[in-house]
Amino acid sequence: MKNYKMYIGGEWVDSASGETFESLNPFTTEAWALIPRGNKEDVEKAVTAAQNAFENGEWRKMSASKRGGLLRKLGDLFSRDAELLARIETLDNGKPISDTLGQTRYLPEYFYYFGGLADKIEGTIVPVDKAEMFAFTRREPLGVCAAITPWNSPLMLAVWKLAPGLAAGNTFVLKPSEYTSATALELARLIEEAGFPPGVVNVLTGFGSEVGDPLINDPRVAKISFTGGPVAGKRVAEAAARGSKRVTLELGGKSPNIVFDDADLDNAIKGVAAGIFGASGQMCIAGSRLLIQKSIQEEFISKLSSFVSTIKMGDPLDPTTQMGPVATKPQFEKILEGIKAGKEEGANCVLGGKAAEFPECGKGWFIEPTIFNNANNQMHLAREEIFGPVLTCIPFEDENDAITIANDSPYGLASGVWSQNINRVLKMSERLQAGTVWINTYRVASYLMPAGGYKESGLGRENGIDAVNDYLQTKSVWVGTGEMPDPFILR
Ligand code: NAD
């Protein structure tokens, strides 16, 4: 059993209470690590450490170029340990090693990109329209940022927050999900080795109500960047509103993946499968609603079902496994409930629809890849984020019908369009209410491309230059170069 400590103020510490909790391996369903169970007292220490690092320490005085250098060094160390990090992520959340390794080998690019941006954050000299005045702006960090991450992609989502925020000169308290805390602590080990001053990044482990809640409500926290479910997301938004804090929210979706009859169907089948069976569907960007043109509905569902039936499930540490278990027992139960509701409301379950009990799945929390055909957009299946390998197929007549169904959702995170008609796909990309539109592809992300949601899917953007701007504020500096005129008139 691995025994982890938290990372606060550059020290490896137990929780103030001395309590721990177990992290379970979703394949064996057994505990593999002990994680410190933080509380309010630990939050107090971590925020104090982050505030001291921001206000008084070496970090504040460090040149932006040196800050960027530290981020690039962190990228090198991350790259060195990519295999170890992938293995731990797989042990902790059950995602297949081929997927986690793909992520850990790519994530260093985020540190290189944002490290490179650190010393390109510039203010401007403004040709101000006032006599005898020199005016300029400074782009300044916000202060202490709270980064709160979920269990589905713990390492990737932590990097999406830390890399731009550190490039901008902020300090952090990172709180990973209680289900998957290990890789955030491994990341802290690399942050220490890279030479970041103590307190710049603190990693605090524990439960949402015991650690997350006091963290988001601490008045010294200037910004909260949160990825997770809608319930906790609303609490974060309320705490941010009460405390006038900046906030970035990524709250999931019910994304439409729209297949027209003029699509390359073989490609579309792979794209639809990537969108809902990759990572066992535990993706905020999951293409969980397949909108299928009626003229090809039966042919497409039949070919898709044949393809999906070949998916290899089993030990996520086996490099040939394509679908692992789902990450947590509550999530496993929630998915089964979603499937049951779908059956009860009359959608036609044409594949899967139950827990997978193949010998290669052992005791793990596996769900069979599930396809519901002939659903409608008002069903629970089409409105609620199930966050598992459950595809809901809804037929449509034409482009207008597809747009109406696609946009009839409280969410707006991602979408996919499959068609060979250039006019059609460009029109669709304009009309879809979603932060990302993938055309003839699905499930691709880059440090260069903004990611975020329309409507209830969230606020703000991660990745790309926009992400750094979200961790900065602008200060206007006026320098009078002449005599003060009449003091009673606003100039
Ligand atoms: P969650 O929203 O409860 O937890 C996400 C993070 O928020 C965790 O670190 C958690 O400890 C923290 N948190 C919880 N309550 C908090 C509070 N009051 N204050 C501050 N932080 C708090 O998500 P979950 O339990 O991991 O999953 C719940 C549902 O959310 C899932 O079933 C799934 O449908 C959805 N989900 C969405 C995403 C996404 O990427 N959008 C990711 C994971 C889960």
Side-chain angles (χ1 to χ4, degrees):
M1 183 90 85
K2 176 107 186 175
N3 229 319
Y4 279 102
K5 288 186 188 288
M6 295 192 284
Y7 188 62
I8 300 180
E11 307 277 334
W12 290 97
V13 294
D14 292 320
S15 62
S17 67
E19 285 181 43
T20 57
F21 60 96
E22 292 179 334
S23 207
L24 306 182
N25 172 339
F27 179 59
T28 61
T29 71
E30 278 161 19
W32 74 278
L34 281 179
I35 309 289
R37 181 170 181 163
N39 63 24
K40 215 173 162 191
E41 213 178 307
D42 300 293
V43 173
E44 172 63 30
K45 284 185 199 153
V47 177
T48 302
Q51 192 189 26
N52 283 340
F54 183 73
E55 287 179 355
N56 310 316
E58 195 189 334
W59 182 245
R60 186 80 208 200
K61 294 184 212 120
M62 190 181 284
S63 72
S65 302
K66 190 154 179 227
R67 220 162 58 217
L70 283 179
L71 279 163
R72 291 193 294 276
K73 173 98 189 284
L74 179 56
D76 289 344
L77 297 174
F78 199 104
S79 187
R80 180 197 71 193
D81 284 2
E83 288 189 16
L84 174 71
L85 294 168
R87 197 184 149 75
I88 295 173
E89 188 103 311
T90 291
L91 270 181
D92 218 17
N93 87 346
K95 202 181 275 187
I97 190 81
S98 55
D99 202 11
T100 50
L101 197 52
Q103 288 182 22
T104 56
R105 285 191 175 140
Y106 184 61
L107 286 173
E109 299 297 334
Y110 288 76
F111 293 118
Y112 300 143
Y113 172 73
F114 287 108
L117 270 181
D119 58 7
K120 280 124 204 123
I121 296 167
E122 295 174 344
T124 49
I125 294 175
V126 181
V128 78
D129 60 326
K130 306 286 168 183
E132 298 188 299
M133 201 67 73
F134 175 69
F136 63 96
T137 61
R138 303 169 61 96
R139 305 282 287 139
E140 296 189 344
L142 303 169
V144 177
C145 300
I148 301 183
T149 53
W151 42 259
N152 57 329
S153 291
L155 206 41
M156 183 175 85
L157 295 172
V159 172
W160 284 17
K161 297 177 193 318
L162 294 188
L166 292 172
N170 298 282
T171 59
F172 273 90
V173 178
L174 167 63
K175 196 212 92 60
S177 165
E178 51 273 38
Y179 293 108
T180 55
S181 310
T183 45
L185 295 165
E186 296 289 341
L187 179 61
R189 175 178 59 75
L190 299 180
I191 286 169
E192 181 183 44
E193 187 179 346
F196 282 82
V200 170
V201 179
N202 307 276
V203 180
L204 202 54
T205 51
F207 293 81
S209 55
E210 294 169 6
V211 173
D213 195 61
L215 177 61
I216 60 177
N217 285 299
D218 190 305
R220 296 167 296 171
V221 169
K223 166 163 177 146
I224 311 165
S225 179
F226 172 88
T227 304
V231 177
K234 291 222 162 70
R235 289 200 176 207
V236 169
E238 284 160 11
R242 270 196 307 276
S244 301
K245 299 174 195 294
R246 304 288 186 91
V247 66
T248 305
L249 295 174
E250 206 277 78
L251 306 180
K254 195 74 201 177
S255 300
N257 209 346
I258 308 168
V259 182
F260 285 96
D261 59 8
D262 58 4
D264 173 333
L265 294 190
D266 291 337
N267 243 352
I269 283 167
K270 284 197 220 153
V272 168
I276 190 67
F277 302 121
S280 298
Q282 301 166 108
M283 296 174 276
C284 49
I285 46 94
S288 48
R289 284 186 296 154
L290 166 64
L291 272 49
I292 180 81
Q293 195 152 22
K294 267 188 187 151
S295 48
I296 54 164
Q297 182 180 2
E298 290 318 316
E299 177 197 355
F300 191 82
I301 300 295
S302 150
K303 284 188 173 163
L304 177 68
S305 302
S306 307
F307 178 80
V308 173
S309 306
T310 67
I311 290 176
K312 185 166 183 269
M313 302 179 84
D315 183 350
L317 282 172
D318 176 342
T320 64
T321 292
Q322 293 169 311
M323 247 180 79
V326 299
T328 76
K329 187 150 188 264
Q331 191 60 24
F332 173 76
E333 285 160 359
K334 185 182 159 203
I335 297 168
L336 289 176
E337 269 169 36
I339 291 174
K340 185 164 164 256
K343 288 177 178 166
E344 283 168 6
E345 63 193 345
N348 180 15
C349 186
V350 294
L351 195 77
K354 55 184 189 305
E357 285 164 357
F358 312 120
E360 56 274 26
C361 296
K363 289 191 291 172
W365 299 309
F366 284 83
I367 307 270
E368 285 190 19
T370 296
I371 301 179
F372 279 98
N373 197 6
N374 283 321
N376 71 55
N377 204 43
Q378 302 316 315
M379 290 178 172
H380 169 277
L381 272 181
R383 304 211 77 79
E384 302 291 327
E385 186 183 44
I386 294 175
F387 226 71
V390 181
L391 181 66
T392 300
C393 309
I394 303 167
F396 68 88
E397 296 284 352
D398 57 18
E399 252 170 63
N400 280 334
D401 195 23
I403 282 288
T404 305
I405 300 170
N407 288 344
D408 174 19
S409 170
Y411 292 112
L413 191 59
S415 56
V417 180
W418 299 85
S419 163
Q420 310 261 44
N421 178 332
I422 182 75
N423 294 342
R424 169 176 274 169
V425 296
L426 289 177
K427 238 187 292 166
M428 294 293 289
S429 76
E430 192 184 330
R431 295 180 69 194
L432 282 165
Q433 294 165 356
T436 293
V437 180
W438 283 297
I439 293 170
N440 296 327
T441 188
Y442 208 91
R443 198 178 178 223
V444 50
S446 163
Y447 51 91
L448 293 163
M449 280 295 268
Y454 279 32
K455 302 192 276 185
E456 288 185 25
S457 287
L459 279 178
R461 293 292 176 270
E462 299 194 283
N463 304 334
I465 292 177
D466 290 11
V468 173
N469 290 334
D470 274 3
Y471 283 96
L472 289 165
Q473 55 194 334
T474 301
K475 181 181 277 171
S476 294
V477 184
W478 299 76
V479 185
T481 57
E483 264 183 44
M484 256 316 274
D486 185 340
F488 304 105
I489 298 173
L490 172 75
R491 275 187 291 162

